[in-house]
Each structure stands twice: as structure tokens, then as C-alpha cells.
């Protein structure tokens, strides 16, 4: 929703600002999504520890995940800054270079709280504590709307009684990034405070139950290394998926500002609907992980199937909306007629791949809960890069379909990945899945 609000406010400024933010945002997520995926590797470790009755180990994994998040932040910050400095040399329209670079540099500040949020989220959701995440999202969205309006248009639009806020300059595209930085920090603060209310309970250590007293918060190389090995394939898998979409955004930028603005409008809405599938995927990951940790194959299989049904159901609703109300949806984002007209065909393609997107999103989640993180990487590389991307390039440039052709290639890639992940879970869940190391 925060990204959607950014797009909606910038859409009122102009196609240039909308396209520039889309370009900067595409680069940010293409890189940061790898770190996000690495943090997702914490999911099965914590949920399987909970399933095995070892809450002390779950708390210890939380702290090692925090250290891992800080390490990954340091590495990816260097990559993001390098990416921002490379924008002027990437062949984009001159009008997009300065605002896109400013957006990416400011947005990079949010990387650390962005990654740490997912670590804390893994711990809370494994304990069934999900309300703090909802609270964080509501608070952040309220702040983001006000922050977008203030930083994008400047304090001059405010009434006199706001005092010093009126002196804030209009930052344009960079203002949207700055608002997101503050919101990400707020989200992390809210969920971090909620951890204090989750009692670690008892640990099944050395053959008996021992109360959880204190925790060693210092970094442990072995624990961090284990979390990294589980999470890296997830990060690379998500990077492979988002990287294809980011590449399409870059190619759309070469087609022209209007095509990039249309792409950003529809991908913003498609990303918003995809969060529903990701929510189901997170729940599926936890329930599958608990089933695996408890060595209960029936519970594992039921949890996975329930997640697939939920994901397809929610994405089916989105597909209907994209099919029958594309113009109304586009008007929520922008009032520029040329951008709306260019976006309508993309809505129809997005409607087709909603179901595939739901299945592949949930499939990655349930396999993550099972501790099987490598297959999702291989499936995404095959589906998106070996099959979907060549089709996108052919349809977009050789067949002359432009941005619509690029999107049909994305649709094919998502469908292939969905089939592979669903088939993989069916095969794995037909027998008892060996859990990851959950010993104390």
C-alpha cells in the first residue's frame, strides 16, 4: 500500500516523476529483494524450532538473524550506491536520470530497517503473533500519505499554524523516498517492541525442560552461517524473479517515458495484489514449518494445500478486478489520459497471470517452510530467465508488441514457475520431510 500511495501521489505530479520513481524503485527492489530473501531463510529455522518445542533456540535464531541482517545491509548498500551512480550511463532518457538517482540514493537509507523488519516478523509470526505487523502497516501508511504530500510538494502547501513545517522544500521524487525511509523505521520500532511480550518459554535441552533465562546476543559465526546458507537460495530466487521485472522496467524505459509510466502504474497495482498471496505464503511457511518440526506429514500436507487454495482464491478476485475495471483502477493512480490509455492493455495481461503469481508465491512459501529453498531458485531461473525472458524480448522487440509483448513474456515465466513449485511440494509432502537442525 505504501508503494501504491507513492505512485498515486507522484502520478498527480506528472509522467516524468512517476517514471523516475518507478526506475529508482525497480533498481532498489532488484537488489534489496536478495537481502529480503536471505532474511526469509530465518522463517523455517524459527518455525521448525517452535514445532520441535524449542522456543529458546527460536529466540537465539532471532538474534543471529539480526546480526545477519546488518551484515547483508553493509554489502548491499555498496551495490545500491554503485547502481545509483551508474544510472547516468545506462542509456535512459535524460529527464529521468537526476530524479531516479536521487530517489535511489535516499531510498538506500531504508535498507537496514527494511531487512531487520523481516527478521523480527519471522519470529513473531512463528509464535502466531501477527497483530503488531498489522499495527505497523497501518501506522506506516498513515505516516506515508502525509509524508508523501509534505515532502513531494513541500511545506508551502500547509496552513500557517504548522509553523516550521512550512519551510520544508518541495523534494519531488526524492521526497517520496524520504517518506518511505521514516515509515520503514517506524515499522521496525513497532514490531521490535512487540518481541518483548513474547515469552521464550522452555527449552528441551539435554533431555529435559529448562526455563529460558538469558540469551547470548553476541554474534555466533556458526549460527549466522547456517541462517545464511538457508536464506541465500531464497534471496537469489527472489532476486531472479524481481530481477526480471526490474529488467522489463529498464527495457520499458528505453521504449519511452510513457511506456515506463504505464508499466509502473500497473506493476504497482499488481505488486499490491501480490502482497495478499505473500501473506498466505508466510502463513503457509509457518504452518508447514511447524508440521515438519513436529514430524507430522499429514499436517504438513494439509497446511500446504490450504495455502495454495487461499492464494489462488485471493488472486482470482484481483484477476476479476483487473479484467472488468482497469480504467477505474488506473484513475486511482493518475489523471493523465495518455498514461491510462497505455496502461489498459497491461491490466489485461496482469489479469491473466494473477493466478500463476499466486501459486508461485505460495509455492515458494510452503517450500521455504519445508526447508527446501534451493528448488525455488532453480525453478525461477528456468521459468523466468530461460523461458519467460526470451519470449518477452521476442514479443516486445522482434514482434513489435512493445511493452505489452514484454508483459506476455513475464506471464509465461510466472506460469512455468507456478507449475514447477506446485509439483515439487506435491512430491515432497507425500512423505515425511526431514527438518533442519533444530537442536539446542
Amino acid at each position: 500500500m505504501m508503494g501504491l500511495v507513492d505512485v498515486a501521489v507522484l502520478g498527480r505530479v506528472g509522467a516524468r516523476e512517476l517514471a523516475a520513481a518507478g526506475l529508482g524503485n525497480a533498481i532498489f527492489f532488484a537488489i534489496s529483494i536478495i537481502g529480503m530473501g536471505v532474511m526469509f531463510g530465518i522463517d523455517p529455522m524459527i518455525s521448525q524450532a517452535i514445532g520441535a518445542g524449542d522456543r529458546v533456540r527460536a529466540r537465539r535464531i532471532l538474534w543471529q538473524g539480526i546480526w545477519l541482517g546488518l551484515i547483508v545491509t553493509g554489502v548491499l548498500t555498496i551495490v545500491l550506491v554503485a547502481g545509483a551512480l551508474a544510472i547516468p550511463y545506462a542509456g535512459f532518457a535524460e529527464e529521468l536520470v537526476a530524479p531516479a538517482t536521487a530517489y535511489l540514493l535516499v531510498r538506500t537509507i531504508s535498507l537496514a530497517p527494511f531487512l531487520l523488519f523481516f527478521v523480527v516478523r519471522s519470529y513473531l509470526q512463528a509464535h502466531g503473533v501477527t497483530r503488531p505487523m498489522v499495527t505497523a502497516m497501518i501506522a506506516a501508511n498513515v505516516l506515508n500519505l502525509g509524508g508523501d504530500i509534505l515532502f513531494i510538494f513541500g511545506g508551502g502547501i500547509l496552513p500557517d499554524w504548522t509553523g516550521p513545517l512550512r519551510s520544508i522544500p518541495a523534494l519531488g521524487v526524492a521526497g517520496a523516498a524520504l517518506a518511505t525511509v521514516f515509515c520503514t523505521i517506524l515499522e521496525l520500532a513497532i514490531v521490535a517492541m512487540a518481541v518483548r511480550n513474547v515469552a521464550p518459554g522452555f527449552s528441551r535441552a539435554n533431555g529435559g525442560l529448562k526455563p529460558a533465562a538469558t540469551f547470548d546476543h553476541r554474534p555466533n559465526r556458526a549460527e549466522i552461517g547456517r541462517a545464511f546458507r538457508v536464506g541465500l537460495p531464497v534471496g537469489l530466487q527472489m532476486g531472479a524473479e524481481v530481477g526480471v521485472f526490474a529488467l522489463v522496467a529498464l527495457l520499458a524505459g528505453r521504449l519511452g517515458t510513457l511506456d515506463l509510466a504505464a508499466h509502473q502504474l500497473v506493476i504497482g497495482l499488481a505488486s499490491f495484489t501480490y502482497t495478499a498471496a505473500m501473506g498466505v505464503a508466510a502463513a503457509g511457511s509457518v504452518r508447514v514449518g511447524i508440521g515438519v518440526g513436529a514430524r507430522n506429514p499429514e499436517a504438513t500436507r494439509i497446511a500446504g494445500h490450504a495455502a495454495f487454495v487461499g492464494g489462488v482464491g485471493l488472486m482470482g478476485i484481483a484477476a476479476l478486478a483487473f479484467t472488468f475495471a482497469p480504467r477505474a483502477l488506473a484513475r486511482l493512480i493518475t489523471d493523465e489520459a495518455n498514461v491510462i490509455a497505455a496502461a489498459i492493455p497491461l491490466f489485461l495481461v496482469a489479469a491473466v497471470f494473477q493466478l500463476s503469481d499466486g501459486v508461485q508465491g505460495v509455492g515458494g512459501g510452503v517450500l521455504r517452510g519445508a526447508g527446501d529453498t534451493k528448488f525455488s531458485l532453480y525453478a525461477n531461473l528456468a521459468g523466468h530467465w530461460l523461458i519467460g525472458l526470451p519470449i518477452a524480448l521476442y514479443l516486445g522487440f522482434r514482434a513489435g508488441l512493445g511493452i505489452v509483448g514484454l508483459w506476455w513474456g513475464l506471464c509465461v515465466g510466472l506460469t512455468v514457475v507456478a507449475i514447477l513449485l506446485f509439483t515439487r511440494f506435491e512430491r515432497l509432502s507425500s512423505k515425511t520431510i526431514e527438518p533442519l537442525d533444530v537442536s539446542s
Side-chain angles (χ1 to χ4, degrees):
M1 179 65 79
M2 286 170 57
L4 199 59
V5 169
D6 289 348
V7 170
V9 176
L10 287 169
R12 263 59 185 184
V13 180
R16 169 181 173 268
E17 287 74 15
L18 182 60
L23 177 59
N25 194 53
I27 297 173
F28 176 82
F29 268 103
I31 296 172
S32 66
I33 202 73
I34 298 176
M36 175 180 167
V38 173
M39 299 304 101
F40 275 12
I42 301 295
D43 284 5
M45 297 180 67
I46 293 180
S47 62
Q48 290 184 18
I50 297 296
D54 195 343
R55 292 176 178 262
V56 171
R57 176 166 173 77
R59 190 67 158 244
R60 189 162 65 244
I61 293 172
L62 165 67
W63 280 101
Q64 299 311 313
I66 291 173
W67 286 111
L68 176 61
L70 294 175
I71 294 171
V72 173
T73 295
V75 175
L76 294 186
T77 295
I78 297 174
V79 179
L80 283 168
V81 172
L85 297 178
I87 288 178
Y89 309 100
F92 300 112
E94 185 65 29
E95 62 179 354
L96 301 179
V97 171
T101 301
Y103 179 95
L104 183 54
L105 288 174
V106 174
R107 186 68 187 276
T108 298
I109 302 172
S110 70
L111 182 60
F114 175 75
L115 296 183
L116 294 181
F117 173 87
F118 289 103
V119 177
V120 180
R121 186 214 63 164
S122 294
Y123 181 78
L124 292 176
Q125 71 182 20
H127 287 81
V129 180
T130 54
R131 185 173 297 177
M133 278 83 85
V134 179
T135 301
M137 290 301 152
I138 293 174
N141 273 283
V142 172
L143 177 62
N144 188 54
L145 176 59
D148 273 350
I149 295 173
L150 176 61
F151 293 130
I152 291 175
F153 297 103
I157 65 173
L158 298 176
D160 293 337
W161 58 263
T162 56
L165 292 178
R166 287 180 53 82
S167 63
I168 295 177
L171 300 176
V173 173
L178 184 60
T180 301
V181 170
F182 287 124
C183 292
T184 309
I185 295 172
L186 175 64
E187 289 173 337
L188 176 59
I190 292 174
V191 296
M193 288 188 293
V195 171
R196 298 180 303 176
N197 298 323
V198 179
F202 294 84
S203 172
R204 291 177 181 171
N206 300 322
L209 291 177
K210 294 186 177 181
T214 59
F215 297 92
D216 187 355
H217 300 162
R218 295 173 298 179
N220 182 294
R221 182 177 299 179
E223 292 279 3
I224 294 174
R226 183 180 294 109
F228 179 75
R229 288 191 297 272
V230 174
L232 182 60
V234 182
L236 295 177
Q237 169 246 312
M238 298 182 76
E241 179 182 350
V242 175
V244 167
F245 283 84
L247 179 57
V248 169
L250 301 182
L251 294 173
R254 287 180 172 271
L255 291 172
T257 299
L258 181 60
D259 283 327
L260 181 54
H263 168 86
Q264 179 61 18
L265 187 154
V266 183
I267 202 65
L269 285 166
S271 298
F272 172 68
T273 61
Y274 182 61
T275 59
M278 290 299 290
V280 177
S285 175
V286 170
R287 299 308 304 172
V288 167
I290 290 175
V292 171
R295 297 181 181 271
N296 187 335
E298 182 180 2
T300 299
R301 192 170 179 85
I302 290 175
H305 287 166
F308 279 116
V309 171
V312 169
L314 289 172
M315 296 301 276
I317 296 173
L320 292 175
F322 286 175
T323 300
F324 295 108
R327 192 171 298 275
L329 292 173
R331 286 173 178 162
L332 295 174
I333 306 302
T334 184
D335 50 11
E336 297 201 12
N338 57 345
V339 176
I340 293 175
I344 298 300
L346 300 186
F347 272 112
L348 299 179
V349 182
V352 174
F353 71 59
Q354 289 297 287
L355 297 183
S356 297
D357 213 9
V359 171
Q360 69 90 22
V362 171
V366 297
L367 289 178
R368 186 167 68 245
D372 182 15
T373 57
K374 292 183 180 180
F375 184 83
S376 296
L377 170 61
Y378 302 147
N380 273 269
L381 290 174
H384 289 303
W385 291 90
L386 296 182
I387 299 176
L389 181 59
I391 292 175
L393 294 173
Y394 175 80
L395 294 177
F397 295 99
R398 295 293 297 274
L401 297 181
I403 185 65
V404 176
L406 294 176
W407 271 59
W408 278 119
L410 293 177
C411 182
V412 172
L414 285 168
T415 302
V416 171
V417 175
I419 293 172
L420 291 174
L421 295 185
F422 179 78
T423 303
R424 175 68 170 182
F425 179 78
E426 286 294 289
R427 179 183 175 186
L428 281 182
S429 62
S430 63
K431 55 187 178 181
T432 301
I433 302 174
E434 286 299 316
L436 300 169
D437 179 16
V438 294
S439 62
S440 295

